[in-house]
Amino acid sequence: MIYITGDIHGDPTRFSKEAFPEQDTMTKEDYVIICGDFGLVWDKEESKNERYWLNWLQNKPFTTLFVDGNHENHDRLDAMPVSEWNGGKVHFVRPNVILSLIHISEPTRPY
């Protein structure tokens, strides 16, 4: 199953079990795609708050995918290793929290 949502601006609580009960039947083979402004890679270094929420998402039964927006720390994202995944290039923020390197905001970025 694939679910798509817009900007979360660093607040993933819309994926709580109460707000998103569909996750009860999901697996890591199911995807939640955040279309820009993920906002959980923002500080210069990973903060306690970012660490908490990224680990919280990692522990969800689904895989989180996101496309970067203007509310990201692009220097930090660009410093992450580039990996191949499902025929495309990505940054793994966590094993199941993945940034797509399809940069909508910068389509000419050389990856």
Side-chain angles (χ1 to χ4, degrees):
M1 188 64 64
I2 298 172
Y3 290 86
I4 300 172
T5 188
D7 309 0
I8 66 168
H9 293 114
D11 179 10
T13 55
R14 71 179 68 177
F15 306 122
S16 69
K17 286 191 175 197
E18 297 77 27
F20 187 45
E22 295 83 357
Q23 68 187 284
D24 287 342
T25 60
M26 295 173 78
T27 71
K28 292 292 187 187
E29 299 299 315
D30 296 308
Y31 304 107
V32 171
I33 303 171
I34 301 166
C35 298
D37 291 347
F38 179 63
L40 284 171
V41 181
W42 181 255
D43 296 326
K44 185 176 180 179
E45 295 179 5
E46 188 174 276
S47 68
K48 287 181 183 179
N49 185 60
E50 288 177 345
R51 184 174 307 112
Y52 173 84
W53 287 113
L54 290 169
N55 289 339
W56 185 82
L57 282 171
Q58 173 60 32
N59 290 321
K60 290 292 179 184
F62 51 84
T63 296
T64 302
L65 308 173
F66 71 99
V67 177
D68 63 340
N70 62 322
H71 289 103
E72 322 296 349
N73 183 327
H74 292 280
D75 291 336
R76 237 176 88 199
L77 291 173
D78 290 344
M80 293 177 180
V82 175
S83 301
E84 293 282 332
W85 183 75
N86 286 344
K89 294 184 180 196
V90 299
H91 294 302
F92 286 93
V93 179
R94 293 289 188 276
N96 291 99
V97 179
I98 305 167
L99 165 65
S100 167
L101 286 185
I102 301 170
H103 293 280
I104 291 176
S105 60
E106 299 179 44
T108 59
R109 202 177 236 177
Y111 287 104

